[in-house]
Amino acid sequence: MRNKVQLIGHVGQDPEVKTLEGGRKVATITLATNENYTNAKGEKVEQTEWHRATAWGKTAEIIEKYVTKGKEIAIEGKLTHRSYDDKNGEKRYVTDIVINELLLIGK
């Protein structure tokens, strides 16, 4: 069994890139994927899903240099899940894709 995700979509906002101690970079992006279908009434419907993705090291550097809001990209990675307590003490859950491979598709 494998934990593998492949998505093609458009970047929702400019990447957030941080440089950690030691110079290693981490980039966080949001990716929108769209699905088109016809509902039971015969109407065409477009459904957009938003995904959060994180890249480390060299891949983060490529994202910092070449990826901007609206750019079409393909990513491959694995799903991760984590939880944290927000400032009000409520537990929040986050699903993230850790990017292993990145393909720049758009111009």
Side-chain angles (χ1 to χ4, degrees):
M1 299 281 179
R2 289 194 143 186
N3 178 354
K4 184 176 180 180
V5 176
Q6 295 177 322
L7 297 173
I8 298 173
H10 289 90
V11 177
Q13 60 191 23
D14 287 336
E16 179 182 321
V17 181
K18 295 179 184 174
T19 303
L20 306 176
E21 289 183 30
R24 187 169 187 212
K25 294 199 177 205
V26 59
T28 303
I29 62 169
T30 55
L31 191 67
T33 56
N34 297 313
E35 180 180 355
N36 297 306
Y37 63 93
T38 304
N39 66 17
K41 297 178 182 178
E43 304 165 327
K44 293 191 184 272
V45 177
E46 180 178 33
Q47 181 176 339
T48 301
E49 295 287 337
W50 288 94
H51 313 275
R52 176 186 157 97
T54 304
W56 296 87
K58 191 69 170 170
T59 306
E61 292 173 19
I62 292 168
I63 288 173
E64 180 178 41
K65 191 171 183 179
Y66 298 107
V67 175
T68 57
K69 178 181 178 178
K71 180 128 179 99
E72 186 177 18
I73 63 172
I75 62 172
E76 182 177 298
K78 67 178 180 176
L79 281 180
T80 60
H81 306 281
R82 64 183 170 88
S83 63
Y84 66 93
D85 294 328
D86 69 11
K87 62 183 175 184
N88 298 323
E90 293 186 41
K91 189 164 282 292
R92 300 288 181 185
Y93 298 91
V94 178
T95 299
D96 194 27
I97 300 161
V98 177
I99 301 170
N100 296 326
E101 293 186 33
L102 168 73
L103 179 63
L104 305 172
I105 297 174
K107 295 181 180 180

